[in-house]
């Protein structure tokens, strides 16, 4: 999380207008989600990887490591789509039979699971592009200009801040336990981990209350205002975004007519 935030402030696209990056990520993600075949999601994945690595200057190892993080959840979801449980013998199901139940996979089920996996990774790559190239403060600024409800924006900002509070609290507790040989053996590791989890909520709650008190002392009235840097809009970037998204829409329409 800290690493993502560091890259958001130090990448080569840092001086690009945040509205351009938000538009590029969200419009491309919508096209990816609406595309009927796997061609467009695959192109979106390659496009976002090329933009993040070649244009923004994010190291490939970091990007693909981050992309692997949600892969476990996506594979688990795809597996539930691919698996078929049948009570009657079905020659289309390739699997094992236990006590009259056949558990296995079918070709259409595997196709649906693969389609779901590729489309999800395409959408995740769009969000990674946005999070690795644009600080949250600038995303919030764009949402405010788009007239998104203030409650939603404030909740988004506070949740984002409290994630760092929880992570910082966890790190401090882990370092404190490690300095006292809390993870020297498997038994002590389980004991220390249990104490860390049980105390994490209480300590995070007190720290969040202290943070809220600090905000109130500084005149917080339900809306956090920060200084916003001026960014010039680039006609070249807008034209390039429009061209890329129009091409993706055309490909999506083509695959709608001829599935691919």
């Amino acid at each position: 999380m800290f690493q993502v935030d560091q890259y958001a402030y130090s990448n080569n696209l840092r001086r690009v207008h945040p509205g351009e990056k938000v538009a590029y990520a969200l419009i491309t993600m919508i096209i990816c989600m609406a595309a009927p075949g796997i061609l467009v999601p695959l192109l979106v994945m390659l496009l976002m990887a090329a933009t993040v690595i070649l244009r923004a200057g994010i190291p490939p190892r970091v990007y693909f490591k981050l992309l692997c993080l949600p892969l476990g959840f996506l594979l688990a979801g795809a597996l539930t789509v691919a698996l078929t449980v049948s009570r009657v013998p079905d020659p289309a199901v390739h699997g094992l039979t236990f006590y009259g139940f056949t558990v296995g996979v079918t070709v259409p089920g595997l196709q649906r699971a693969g389609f779901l996996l590729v489309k999800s990774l395409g959408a995740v790559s769009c969000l990674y592009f946005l999070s690795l190239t644009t600080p949250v403060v600038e995303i919030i600024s764009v949402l405010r200009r788009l007239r998104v409800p203030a409650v939603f924006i404030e909740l988004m900002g506070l949740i984002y801040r409290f994630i760092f509070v929880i992570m910082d609290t966890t790190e401090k507790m882990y370092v404190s336990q490690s300095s006292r040989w809390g993870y020297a053996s498997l038994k002590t590791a389980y004991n220390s981990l249990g104490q860390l989890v049980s105390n994490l909520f209480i300590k995070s709650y007190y720290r969040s209350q202290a943070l809220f008190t600090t905000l109130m002392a500084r005149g917080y009235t339900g809306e956090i205002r920060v200084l916003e840097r001026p960014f010039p809009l680039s006609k070249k970037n807008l034209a390039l975004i429009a061209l890329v998204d129009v091409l993706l829409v055309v490909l999506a329409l083509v695959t709608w007519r001829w599935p691919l």
Side-chain angles (χ1 to χ4, degrees):
M1 193 75 183
F2 292 107
Q3 192 178 28
V4 172
D5 216 42
Q6 289 173 358
Y7 282 118
Y9 280 97
S10 60
N11 67 89
N12 295 337
L13 296 177
R14 177 69 178 84
R15 297 184 182 279
V16 176
H17 196 289
E20 298 173 10
K21 291 181 281 188
V22 170
Y24 178 54
L26 294 185
I27 295 174
T28 307
M29 184 175 67
I30 292 172
I31 297 172
C32 175
M33 297 300 292
I38 65 169
L39 178 61
V40 172
L42 283 175
L43 287 176
V44 169
M45 289 172 59
L46 294 175
L47 187 65
M48 289 300 168
T51 308
V52 169
I53 295 171
L54 302 178
R55 190 70 180 84
I58 307 298
R61 179 179 57 81
V62 174
Y63 178 70
F64 289 113
K65 186 178 177 182
L66 288 172
L67 204 58
C68 288
L69 289 178
L71 197 58
F73 299 100
L74 297 178
L75 285 175
L79 185 63
T80 58
V81 175
L83 274 181
T84 300
V85 180
S86 176
R87 192 170 184 178
V88 295
D90 188 350
V93 178
H94 305 281
L96 301 174
T97 302
F98 301 96
Y99 303 103
F101 289 90
T102 302
V103 181
V105 296
T106 63
V107 174
L110 288 175
Q111 291 175 344
R112 284 196 300 273
F115 177 63
L116 178 66
L117 182 64
V118 172
K119 182 173 281 196
S120 302
L121 283 175
V124 169
S125 66
C126 295
L127 294 178
Y128 268 138
F129 162 77
L130 187 60
S131 58
L132 285 168
T133 60
T134 313
V136 171
V137 175
E138 293 173 4
I139 296 175
I140 290 175
S141 173
V142 173
L143 295 177
R144 186 173 286 119
R145 293 179 183 178
L146 293 175
R147 307 295 181 187
V148 174
V151 175
F152 176 81
I153 294 175
E154 289 306 306
L155 281 176
M156 178 182 168
L158 289 175
I159 289 172
Y160 182 76
R161 175 63 186 133
F162 287 147
I163 288 174
F164 284 91
V165 171
I166 291 176
M167 291 180 65
D168 185 55
T169 306
T170 305
E171 184 179 3
K172 287 181 178 176
M173 291 174 65
Y174 179 79
V175 171
S176 176
Q177 289 176 326
S178 299
S179 64
R180 292 175 294 182
W181 299 95
Y183 296 91
S185 65
L186 186 62
K187 182 180 178 180
T188 57
Y190 277 122
N191 185 37
S192 298
L193 183 63
Q195 292 178 0
L196 188 151
V197 173
S198 61
N199 292 325
L200 178 61
F201 173 76
I202 299 174
K203 287 186 175 294
S204 300
Y205 175 76
Y206 280 116
R207 288 199 62 186
S208 65
Q209 288 297 311
L211 177 64
F212 182 73
T213 303
T214 305
L215 287 173
M216 293 294 290
R218 295 181 179 179
Y220 177 67
T221 57
E223 186 177 7
I224 300 176
R225 286 284 183 178
V226 297
L227 291 176
E228 298 177 3
R229 295 178 55 187
F231 291 93
L233 277 172
S234 169
K235 293 181 180 178
K236 180 182 175 182
N237 288 342
L238 291 174
L240 189 60
I241 292 170
L243 177 64
V244 169
D245 286 334
V246 166
L247 288 176
L248 288 175
V249 169
V250 171
L251 279 176
L253 293 176
V254 170
T255 54
W256 203 298
R257 179 67 177 83
W258 295 281
L260 186 59

